[in-house]
Amino acid sequence: MKKLFASGLIPTKTGLLLFLTPLVASSFVSAQSFEKGSMVFGFGTGIGIYKTTFTDKTNTSASDEKDTSIAVIYPLTFEYGVLNWLGTGVWLGYNDFLEGKDSAGTKQRAHAIDFMGYVNAHFLRSKHVDMFISAEYGYSHFKYTDDSPDNPIAVANGTGYSFGFNTRFYFGKEPHFGLHLHFALEGYNYGNGVISDDTTNPEQKFGL
């Protein structure tokens, strides 16, 4: 069943992420867009481009398979200002990998759900602009299915990380709303993946 992953169906070890998020921020009591006690909520969409590596842990003599994958990402974020320049928060992301039909006409589906904590270091803060760098680390769950008669399912749990550069733009005289532009290098590590189906074939183990 390793052929299921030959066209970039697996989330990556390393990749690039770009997303744009509408924001709702708590009241600012100074001329700064972020400060101690600030609370920022965001929900948006983005694109991730990943380099994938599949390792067959059942057949250890098999070579690793490398490919590229693209996902549409829907993040939900929250940040709290611990200091005027330092924030911490959580990220919940749904990753929908762009898969169509294979050469046999089989519909393929792949997605991942991420839950990560992060810290942000804000180095430029004005009333309408907030620039910062971010670091994230947390949990990720991946699942693949398709419509072939054997009903194959691949699932994997692992960890993810991200290092990003961010700019928030706030609008209006009292800037409670804005947009968040996020560009990041991401990585995932899935060490306990399992592929199964409705046949009597044994489960196949894989890592990423």
Side-chain angles (χ1 to χ4, degrees):
M1 285 179 285
K2 189 167 70 173
K3 63 183 177 62
L4 297 176
F5 301 91
S7 52
L9 300 178
I10 297 294
T12 183
K13 284 191 173 180
T14 55
L16 296 175
L17 169 66
L18 177 66
F19 75 74
L20 187 65
T21 305
L23 300 170
V24 179
S26 62
S27 298
F28 300 122
V29 296
S30 72
Q32 305 300 319
S33 55
F34 187 87
E35 60 187 12
K36 184 177 180 179
S38 293
M39 292 183 289
V40 184
F41 302 86
F43 176 77
T45 188
I47 294 291
I49 303 174
Y50 303 107
K51 287 291 184 180
T52 67
T53 302
F54 173 81
T55 301
D56 189 336
K57 291 188 173 184
T58 302
N59 180 11
T60 56
S61 63
S63 300
D64 291 349
E65 294 186 9
K66 299 180 183 294
D67 213 313
T68 301
S69 185
I70 299 175
V72 179
I73 302 168
Y74 303 96
L76 178 65
T77 63
F78 169 75
E79 181 184 9
Y80 177 77
V82 179
L83 301 172
N84 286 340
W85 60 272
L86 181 67
T88 185
V90 292
W91 154 296
L92 178 63
Y94 179 83
N95 306 272
D96 185 13
F97 289 84
L98 301 181
E99 301 299 336
K101 295 182 178 181
D102 63 14
S103 58
T106 301
K107 176 64 176 179
Q108 304 170 101
R109 294 174 294 274
H111 68 266
I113 297 175
D114 303 334
F115 183 77
M116 299 190 186
Y118 63 81
V119 293
N120 294 335
H122 300 254
F123 61 87
L124 190 157
R125 298 174 296 122
S126 67
K127 190 175 183 65
H128 293 94
V129 178
D130 178 19
M131 299 179 70
F132 56 96
I133 56 176
S134 58
E136 303 172 5
Y137 185 81
Y139 165 82
S140 183
H141 172 79
F142 170 81
K143 183 176 182 180
Y144 166 89
T145 60
D146 69 33
D147 293 334
S148 59
D150 293 342
N151 294 316
I153 298 176
V155 295
N157 298 303
T159 58
Y161 67 86
S162 173
F163 301 99
F165 178 82
N166 306 261
T167 303
R168 290 172 178 159
F169 302 96
Y170 291 97
F171 310 113
K173 184 176 180 180
E174 297 296 332
H176 303 302
F177 300 94
L179 291 175
H180 177 184
L181 182 64
H182 174 77
F183 180 78
L185 172 67
E186 285 195 332
Y188 294 90
N189 184 15
Y190 300 96
N192 62 345
V194 175
I195 306 171
S196 61
D197 59 27
D198 289 345
T199 70
T200 58
N201 294 326
E203 291 183 340
Q204 179 182 355
K205 298 183 184 299
F206 69 92
L208 296 163

